Amino acid sequence: MLDFLANPEVWGALVTLTFLEIVLGVDNIIFISIAANKVKPEEQAKARNIGLILAMIFRLILLFFISFLIQMQKPLFSVDWSFAKGGFSGQALILLAGGIFLIYKSTKEIHHKLEGEEAEKANGKAKSTLTQAIVQIALINVVFSFDSILTAVGMTNGLEGAMPVMIISVILSMIIMMVFAGPVGRFVNEHPSIQMLGLSFLILIGFMLITESAHMANLELFGAHVGVIPKGYLYFAISFSLFVEFLNLRMRKKK
């Protein structure tokens, strides 16, 4: 049963896919860290771990329903208006809802950071409970899981032993992220500029999900077809911004 492990292509796909799962999970860690920061300090580690465990469970469940995911590419309904027309599938609707949720949540968090704790106390709002944080993490994990699994399926298409490779890569990537989620979360929470940068990235990713949803739906706006934003460009912009911010942090530390 384990003969496929002797295939070098399998090991190459496993390493590449595990690395890709970690890269795609960075934005998930940022969201989990921000959501966990809203609960009591002694419950933050618990919220992060539960969030990452939920992410792993969602990904493993989706792996066993790949045929269902493929069927969700068929349009559920179509729109044919004077300025827009297209057919929305289940995948497109999930990505659309996830993009809108990310933009809404990130914008709300930016407003909270700018207004400060005093404005929140004046409005009588308390910090989120552990259950509320876990529900938010679970909702966005559904969207990130779809994107991650669809990418994994595309990379391992035609590979012998693709299913075990995807399962192992998901488990390995989640274990690695659970190890580093705490330090990353603390670093993000201790540096307000990194928090703002992370929230801005989430808005950007939310917009990317919306455009990807429109592209899946073959949506045409005012006669122009909506294209997809290359993820390589997006992650390069994020990496470059983080590099510049780390230089700023080092410069401020020296001063």
Side-chain angles (χ1 to χ4, degrees), residues 6-246:
N7 187 355
E9 293 183 3
V10 170
W11 287 100
L14 178 61
V15 173
T16 304
L17 193 55
T18 301
F19 176 75
L20 184 62
E21 289 288 333
I22 294 172
V23 172
L24 292 175
V26 170
D27 44 14
N28 199 2
I29 289 180
I30 293 174
F31 182 87
I32 289 174
S33 299
I34 292 172
N37 191 40
K38 304 290 288 184
V39 302
K40 297 177 181 178
E42 60 271 17
E43 294 180 337
Q44 290 180 8
K46 185 177 181 180
R48 284 194 301 268
N49 290 332
I50 291 176
L52 288 171
I53 291 172
L54 285 174
M56 182 177 68
I57 292 173
F58 282 134
R59 281 163 170 76
L60 293 177
I61 290 174
L62 289 175
L63 278 175
F64 291 100
F65 288 93
I66 292 176
S67 59
F68 177 68
L69 291 178
I70 300 302
Q71 291 176 0
M72 289 184 70
Q73 293 179 357
K74 298 178 180 178
L76 298 177
F77 67 92
S78 301
V79 295
D80 191 2
W81 300 327
S82 59
F83 62 92
K85 62 178 180 179
F88 287 87
S89 63
Q91 287 184 17
L93 290 176
I94 289 175
L95 291 179
L96 178 63
I100 293 173
F101 177 75
L102 264 185
I103 292 176
Y104 163 76
K105 184 64 181 176
S106 302
T107 304
K108 185 177 178 182
E109 287 296 327
I110 289 175
H111 178 265
H112 164 72
K113 299 296 181 185
L114 293 177
E115 293 294 328
E117 297 288 342
E118 296 301 325
E120 191 173 80
K121 291 178 181 178
N123 293 329
K125 295 181 180 179
K127 280 195 169 186
S128 299
T129 62
L130 180 62
T131 303
Q132 290 173 334
I134 291 174
V135 169
Q136 291 180 7
I137 292 170
L139 288 175
I140 203 60
N141 271 334
V142 173
V143 180
F144 285 132
S145 296
F146 263 85
D147 189 42
S148 174
I149 294 306
L150 290 175
T151 303
V153 171
M155 283 191 60
T156 57
N157 186 27
L159 180 68
E160 183 183 357
M163 180 62 76
V165 168
M166 288 189 288
I167 292 175
I168 294 172
S169 67
V170 167
I171 294 175
L172 285 177
S173 62
M174 285 302 160
I175 292 174
I176 293 172
M177 284 193 287
M178 286 184 72
V179 172
F180 289 99
V184 170
R186 286 192 294 271
F187 180 79
V188 170
N189 293 332
E190 290 171 1
H191 297 84
S193 59
I194 294 292
Q195 289 186 33
M196 283 295 178
L197 200 58
L199 290 169
S200 302
F201 292 160
L202 291 177
I203 292 177
L204 191 61
I205 292 169
F207 178 74
M208 182 198 69
L209 291 177
I210 292 175
T211 57
E212 192 170 342
S213 169
H215 180 72
M216 281 186 176
N218 293 317
L219 187 66
E220 292 185 6
L221 292 176
F222 301 102
H225 187 267
V226 178
V228 65
I229 300 175
K231 292 182 181 178
Y233 295 163
L234 179 66
Y235 286 112
F236 172 78
I238 291 175
S239 302
F240 182 76
S241 300
L242 282 174
F243 175 72
V244 173
E245 183 58 29
F246 285 140

